[in-house]
Amino acid sequence: MLRKILIANRGEIAVRIIRACAEMGIRSVAIYTEADRYSLHVKKADESYCIGQEPLNGYLNIHALVDLAISRGCDAIHPGYGFLSENAKFAEACKERNIVFIGPDPEVILKMGDKTQARHAMTAAGLPVTPGSEGNLDDVDEALTVAEAVGYPIMLKATSGGGGRGIRRCDNAQELTHNYDRVISEATKAFGSAEVFLEKCIVNPKHIEVQVLADKHGHAIHLYERDCSIQRRNQKLIEIAPSPQLDEAQRQYIGGLAVMAAKAVGYSNAGTVEFLLDDTGRFYFMEMNTRVQVEHTITESITGVDIIEEQIRIAAGLELRHTQDEITKRGYSIQLRINAEDPKNNFLPSFGKITRYYAPGGPGVRTDTAIYTGYVVPPYFDSMLAKVIVSAATWHDTIKRAERALRDIGLFGIKTTIPYYLQILSHPEFQQADFNTGFVEKHPELINYSNKPRPEVLASVLSSVIASHTGL
Ligand code: ADP
Ligand code: ADP
Ligand code: MG
């Protein structure tokens, strides 16, 4: 088993990995840049090292990270999500220096991280893939020709994109011409690659993804699906496991496809196969994420499998502990991404000091976060502050629990997406489990909720004012 792991990440996912290490008796090493000096992951790890003044660069410095891991006696690196997690060069650099990279082999990352190569590999493996360009597009003329053949609307996408960025829908030739250079420049800036491709736009699809686990001994299983259809601008806001919009036959079908996909590319470790489901009931492969996902939590809740622990065990060369038959699920789980954004102001990022934070609790509630009272949210990173994960036996009970948990939180000093989520949870279409990726855009009225503070919020503010004056 591994003895000491360097966590090449920050924030809640670094804390999540530190917790898994602690439970497994593995020492954890955190890294931070100056902007993160007071971050929770720095305090929680067994050891912490500053890796730069500039806020972001240190988290992306492959050689400095591998050097640090070696000099501190680490035998593995966990990359988390974002940053270097899907960087094949990082995985390669680890391999060359005999550090275990907690993820799949560099060749697999390279293949699946490139969306056009992944489309090829999945077509070859027999998965249904959205119609689109053979490979990357050479120029706008080629784009126009392919789009004509595929039929509008189309999606123009950055080949190495992620995090919902570098994607534009184009409804006609004019829009495609207009967007072409924009997507290229977005892709270059965000992902350091100018490559783009296009595929048919599935209008108002459901986003259904399957969690897979595969070991280095040829075993692969799935842990059921997640429904991530509640999105804004192609970015996930609320995730649900299992999807309340699938029947059992559909569930078995995509679970099987995902395992087939993992086996076809020689996958090992945790991964996610993302599909779009159209309104005629057809599934299309969209992409594979070769890392742990933000929403792995809800799968943990319904299956009882600790995905980070499994990642570590698989990377250490152990065999999967479960066969497919042994994986069962129970009830539903919802994750709400609490972002530091002002929904009423076009989701403008909100930074600054968290003057008071009280985590929600009670049965079936889990909070993964790196915030605490007095923490100052820096402006340099992702706006996700916390993940509130609730689970219960039925869909109805899970929604009720989510509402209760959101009202239970105390989070003051900055604006968050909490009030907006309360609106979504109370919407009949959400409650009847009838929604797709167009939900947020279809319901702009949910953003214009009343600003009137709830009585319990008033009481809480009042008590903190009294406390700060009386010292009680
Ligand atoms: P998930 O796919 O796990 O649901 P997101 O798509 O929200 O999660 O991405 C999680 C984080 O990783 C975000 O901070 C996002 O910006 C970042 N990220 C994802 N893919 C990439 C990529 N290809 N390049 C850079 N950052 C990425
Ligand atoms: P990322 O790597 O940024 O996660 P994805 O390829 O997974 O990018 O797409 C992100 C989101 O964009 C999807 O969840 C979906 O809502 C939307 N999307 C992507 N491709 C299509 C498509 N062909 N048709 C309709 N929606 C799409
Ligand atoms: Mg995706």
Side-chain angles (χ1 to χ4, degrees), residues 111-112 116-129 253-267 273 275 285 288:
K111 186 185 272 178
M112 301 314 270
T116 53
Q117 279 195 53
R119 283 165 57 85
H120 276 294
M122 292 301 105
T123 309
L127 269 79
V129 176
Y253 171 66
I254 43 159
L257 283 186
V259 169
M260 204 164 100
K263 286 193 167 156
V265 296
Y267 200 84
V273 188
F275 296 91
F285 167 82
M288 179 165 192

Side-chain angles (χ1 to χ4, degrees), residues 62-63 66 84 87-99 101 104-110:
I62 293 179
H63 293 292
V66 178
L84 295 172
N87 187 312
K89 288 196 189 115
F90 187 42
E92 188 66 54
C94 290
K95 199 172 174 181
E96 276 168 13
R97 313 261 318 258
N98 279 324
I99 294 279
F101 175 82
D105 287 339
E107 305 77 50
V108 177
I109 298 179
L110 201 61

Side-chain angles (χ1 to χ4, degrees), residues 355-356 460-472:
T355 52
R356 201 161 106 96
S460 164
V461 170
L462 206 63
S463 72
S464 75
V465 169
I466 292 169
S468 68
H469 281 81
T470 59
L472 291 173

Side-chain angles (χ1 to χ4, degrees), residues 92-377:
E92 188 66 54
C94 290
K95 199 172 174 181
E96 276 168 13
R97 313 261 318 258
N98 279 324
I99 294 279
V100 174
F101 175 82
I102 303 177
D105 287 339
E107 305 77 50
V108 177
I109 298 179
L110 201 61
K111 186 185 272 178
M112 301 314 270
D114 178 306
K115 291 187 185 182
T116 53
Q117 279 195 53
R119 283 165 57 85
H120 276 294
M122 292 301 105
T123 309
L127 269 79
V129 176
T130 42
S133 54
E134 266 291 307
N136 295 319
L137 297 162
D138 284 332
D139 50 36
V140 69
D141 289 331
E142 190 191 354
L144 289 165
T145 311
V146 177
E148 206 57 55
V150 165
Y152 290 97
I154 61 96
M155 285 292 211
L156 187 59
K157 296 170 97 169
T159 303
S160 43
R165 286 168 304 156
I167 303 176
R168 296 262 176 126
R169 172 175 162 159
C170 308
D171 286 353
N172 50 54
Q174 210 182 346
E175 281 185 21
L176 177 52
T177 310
H178 176 78
N179 284 330
Y180 193 77
D181 290 335
R182 283 159 202 260
V183 172
I184 287 186
S185 108
E186 244 171 69
T188 313
K189 261 188 238 143
F191 313 113
S193 153
E195 289 170 339
V196 296
F197 72 103
L198 70 77
E199 63 184 22
K200 191 164 183 57
C201 174
I202 310 299
V203 178
N204 291 335
K206 296 170 179 41
H207 172 123
I208 307 288
E209 59 183 38
V210 181
Q211 176 72 57
V212 296
L213 288 179
D215 65 19
K216 296 179 180 175
H217 307 274
H219 309 112
I221 58 171
H222 71 81
L223 303 183
Y224 300 103
E225 80 285 355
R226 299 182 284 254
D227 188 326
C228 312
S229 303
I230 303 291
Q231 309 181 344
R232 176 176 174 271
R233 298 197 176 160
N234 305 320
Q235 291 175 346
K236 299 162 186 167
L237 298 177
I238 298 176
E239 296 107 334
I240 303 150
S243 172
Q245 310 196 86
L246 293 194
D247 60 33
E248 216 38 53
Q250 289 176 303
R251 178 161 298 128
Q252 294 304 325
Y253 171 66
I254 43 159
L257 283 186
V259 169
M260 204 164 100
K263 286 193 167 156
V265 296
Y267 200 84
S268 78
N269 218 286
T272 300
V273 188
E274 296 190 336
F275 296 91
L276 292 174
L277 170 59
D278 74 10
D279 54 13
T280 69
R282 283 175 70 119
F283 286 96
Y284 300 92
F285 167 82
M286 179 162 57
E287 67 156 344
M288 179 165 192
N289 293 312
T290 57
R291 54 169 167 88
V292 68
Q293 271 186 288
V294 176
E295 60 275 21
H296 72 280
T297 54
I298 50 177
T299 301
E300 293 185 326
S301 294
I302 61 160
T303 61
V305 175
D306 181 326
I307 292 173
I308 306 287
E309 185 180 340
E310 292 306 319
Q311 283 195 291
I312 294 171
R313 290 174 51 92
I314 291 168
L318 299 177
E319 288 192 36
L320 283 182
R321 276 189 285 188
H322 308 284
T323 60
Q324 190 67 63
D325 296 344
E326 289 164 9
I327 303 294
T328 53
K329 62 176 173 59
R330 205 170 143 174
Y332 287 92
S333 184
I334 300 178
Q335 172 177 281
L336 305 124
R337 296 191 188 197
I338 312 299
N339 295 336
E341 293 170 3
D342 181 4
K344 282 191 175 295
N345 197 358
N346 202 24
F347 293 83
L348 187 77
S350 172
F351 312 114
K353 187 168 181 166
I354 294 175
T355 52
R356 201 161 106 96
Y357 169 63
Y358 169 78
V365 179
R366 159 179 173 183
T367 317
D368 278 23
T369 184
I371 67 167
Y372 52 86
T373 295
Y375 176 68
V376 179
V377 181

